[in-house]
Amino acid sequence: MDKPYRLPQVRAGQMLCWIALVLLGLNMMGCSLLLKSQSPELPAVSPESNMKEQQEIERMQKLLVEKEAEKEAQQQEIERLQKILVEKEAQIRVQQARQQDQAKTLQETSSQAVHAQVKLRRLATRPAAASTIAEAEVAMENLKSSPFTESEQVVQSQAQRLLSAAAASYAEDNHVAAMEYAAYARGLIDMIKNNRAFKTSDSRRVTTPFEVPIPLRAATNSNLRQNPALSAAVLSVAKKDSLMTAEAYQGDWLRIQTADGQSGWVLNTLVEAQVGK
């Protein structure tokens, strides 16, 4: 009784399985199509965009190269300035050593000047006085081979004044005074000569002591400065006609000592030779 009904039941179950599989396949196909329709499409990259990006990369690389070059140039400049600083410090040390030597030389010269004055007096014979005056006059004539500057003219006129005083003293048979005046004149003549040798390079000028200190007087109220420069500090003011002695020179400046013992620098245009009592 049961057998005629089993076969249709089995076939009905198979049909249901097939229907389920078909529905499942359709469902999966629909999901796939839905996902495909919803996924955004990536835009295509154009050649122009690629070119712009490449140009931007090249520009950035060029900037980096320029920055590196600028950094290297700055480093070279720093090294150059450091080298200059070292050289300047060395020059300062040399200058300081030179100034110390000059100070020592001035001290030695001051004592030598005393001996020179004594020697002049001991040698103050008529022939010696005549020879000293003649040597100073020859030196003066040699200076005239070149035109005088305004500053040189002032010093030359003082030297000529001393030479005239030497000749007058010689005529009066005052051989001591004649030799002293001639020695003072020779000191001023040598000052002009030496300054001409160094006029093209002020940095090479050094303080040069006079072989014989020269007696002077202030032609006007004159500032006594700490160093041979208009920018140097003013130590005091030498009143007009006050007496002083020139011990050395540097360029147009005279290192003098006043009657009351003060030392400093004055311009040679502010003083004049002391002649007579």
Side-chain angles (χ1 to χ4, degrees), residues 4 7 31 34 46 96-97 112 122 124 177 202 215 273:
L7 184 57
C31 291
L34 179 63
S46 66
Q96 289 174 343
Q112 293 174 0
R122 289 177 179 176
D202 292 341

Side-chain angles (χ1 to χ4, degrees), residues 214-233:
I214 303 173
L216 304 170
R217 71 172 67 245
T220 183
N221 292 345
S222 306
N223 289 329
L224 187 64
R225 298 187 180 273
Q226 186 174 9
N227 296 305
L230 291 174
S231 58

Side-chain angles (χ1 to χ4, degrees), residues 15-33:
M15 290 297 292
L16 290 173
C17 289
W18 281 106
I19 293 170
L21 289 174
V22 171
L23 292 174
L24 180 61
L26 292 172
N27 188 24
M28 293 177 66
M29 185 181 295
C31 291
S32 176
L33 292 173

Side-chain angles (χ1 to χ4, degrees), residues 123-135 166 170 174-179 182:
L123 298 176
T125 61
R126 187 178 182 84
S131 176
T132 303
I133 294 172
E135 290 176 357
Y170 180 83
N174 187 347
H175 304 142
V176 173
M179 291 191 68

